[in-house]
Amino acid sequence: MTVLTISSKGQITLKRDLLQHLGIQAGQRITIDKLPNGTLNIQAEQNTGKIDDFIGKFAGRLAQPISLDEMNAITEQAWAGEKCE
C-alpha cells in the first residue's frame, strides 16, 4: 500500500511507481470515478488517436526514406499508443 500526503491546496502527487502501474506518461490525462464507501477508481484516459497528432510526427527525423511496410508498422504502433522511435 502506498501512502500519499495531501498538500495545503488539497492536492496529491502520485509517485512514479503508481504512474507506471497505470501506464500514465507526463501530460496524459486520468479519469477518476467516485465509488461507494469513499473509494476512488483511477484509470489512464484512453487516447482518441487524432490524425493531427500523427501527421508530421517524423518530419525531418529520418536519414533516409522508409518502406511502406515500415510506415505501416509505425502507424500501428502510434495508433496503439506505443512509443515510436
Side-chain angles (χ1 to χ4, degrees):
M1 177 184 291
T2 301
V3 177
L4 304 173
T5 303
I6 308 297
S7 75
S8 61
K9 294 181 181 182
Q11 300 171 333
I12 61 170
T13 300
L14 296 179
K15 297 182 187 235
R16 180 170 286 135
D17 67 317
L18 295 175
L19 296 174
Q20 289 173 344
H21 178 73
L22 292 170
I24 298 173
Q25 299 176 3
Q28 190 173 358
R29 298 167 56 110
I30 59 171
T31 59
I32 300 176
D33 293 316
K34 294 187 277 185
L35 303 175
N37 301 324
T39 303
L40 298 175
N41 181 24
I42 301 173
Q43 295 180 330
E45 187 173 82
Q46 297 299 316
N47 292 333
T48 56
K50 294 181 267 177
I51 192 68
D52 292 340
D53 295 337
F54 177 73
I55 294 175
K57 183 174 182 102
F58 297 100
R61 292 178 42 189
L62 302 176
Q64 55 185 334
I66 61 175
S67 71
L68 187 55
D69 289 336
E70 291 170 314
M71 282 187 231
N72 287 336
I74 291 169
T75 303
E76 289 172 11
Q77 289 175 344
W79 194 259
E82 298 172 5
K83 187 174 181 179
C84 299
E85 294 186 26

